[in-house]
Amino acid sequence: LFPYTTLFRSQRARLARATVDFVITGMGAANAQRVAQAVLPGEYSFCIVSGFAGALTSSVKIADVVAPLKIQQDGESASILTAPNLVASAIQDGAVSIPTLLTTDHVVSTAEEKQRLSVVAEAVDMESFAILSVAREKQFPAAVIRVISDSFDANLPVDIDTMLDSQGNVKLGGVVRYVAKHPLAVPGLMRPSRIN
C-alpha cells in the first residue's frame, strides 16, 4: 500500500520499466506544499508537476503542453529553474518550451488580469512554485508540464473562486449557490476542460 494515502489521493502504475506514483495535491499552494513535503524526496528519481494552466500570451494556445524553464511566484522577483534535462525530454516528446510560468494565489479568470500578468510570464497556475520550492529545499530535480486550458484573451466561463474553500477544495454548497444564481453557466461547469 502506498504510504501516503492517508494524506492525499495517489495511484501507483508501471510505465515501461518505471514505477510512477500519481499524486493529486488539490488546488492551491497550501495543498501543493503539504503534499510535496510529505512525498519528496521519498524513493523517487525526480518530480513532474502536471495539470492545467491558463494562457497569458498569444504564444501559447489552448491544448498546448508547455514546459517552462522557470517558475515565478506572483509578487516576487525570485524564480526557480526547472531541471534542464527533464525539460529537454518533455520538449523532445512534443511539449512547447516557455520561458516562465507564473504561480498565483487565486484563479486568474479575466482577460484583463491575464493581460496585466502577461508582462511576467506566458502561462499561469496555482501550485507549481510551492512544489518546486520544496523540491529545491530538498535538492530534488523537478520540472513542470502543464496543458493550456484557456485562452489569454477570454474570461473563464465560471467564477471558480466562489466554489472553493480556504484550502482550495471544491465546496458543494458553493457550486449549488453559483448554479442557482447563474443557471446559464451550467454548460461551462459540465465541461471537464475547454480543450476541444
Side-chain angles (χ1 to χ4, degrees):
L1 184 64
F2 187 50
Y4 305 113
T5 51
T6 57
L7 298 174
F8 43 81
R9 292 177 288 166
S10 64
Q11 184 69 43
R12 177 165 284 182
R14 289 283 298 174
L15 297 178
R17 292 179 295 161
T19 300
V20 179
D21 286 326
F22 297 91
V23 181
I24 300 172
T25 65
M27 289 180 67
N31 285 328
Q33 184 174 30
R34 175 180 56 85
V35 172
Q37 287 284 2
V39 172
L40 297 178
E43 59 189 293
Y44 308 112
S45 301
F46 56 84
C47 171
I48 300 291
V49 180
S50 64
F52 293 104
L56 295 179
T57 71
S58 61
S59 64
V60 289
K61 310 282 190 259
I62 291 177
D64 278 353
V65 177
V66 298
L69 302 178
K70 66 180 178 180
I71 312 299
Q72 186 167 330
Q73 179 70 42
D74 188 27
E76 296 182 14
S77 58
S79 59
I80 301 174
L81 298 177
T82 53
N85 59 326
L86 298 177
V87 173
S89 293
I91 293 167
Q92 185 176 1
D93 287 336
V96 176
S97 174
I98 61 171
T100 308
L101 174 76
L102 183 69
T103 295
T104 63
D105 63 0
H106 63 283
V107 176
V108 176
S109 58
T110 66
E112 180 182 3
E113 185 175 13
K114 292 176 188 181
Q115 182 178 18
R116 180 178 63 78
L117 296 175
S118 68
V119 299
V120 178
E122 290 70 35
V124 62
D125 79 347
M126 294 175 59
E127 300 82 23
S128 292
F129 190 87
I131 297 171
L132 264 70
S133 293
V134 174
R136 179 176 63 180
E137 171 191 324
K138 297 179 182 286
Q139 300 181 337
F140 193 72
V144 176
I145 302 172
R146 289 197 175 259
V147 178
I148 299 299
S149 63
D150 51 273
S151 176
F152 76 102
D153 58 355
N155 295 340
L156 293 183
V158 294
D159 185 3
I160 303 295
D161 279 334
T162 64
M163 302 177 204
L164 303 175
D165 64 20
S166 59
Q167 284 77 45
N169 300 311
V170 175
K171 303 183 296 187
L172 181 58
V175 174
V176 171
R177 281 190 295 278
Y178 188 87
V179 170
K181 292 180 182 177
H182 308 90
L184 296 179
V186 170
L189 283 172
M190 298 300 289
R191 285 175 289 175
S193 73
R194 291 166 294 285
I195 299 173
N196 296 319

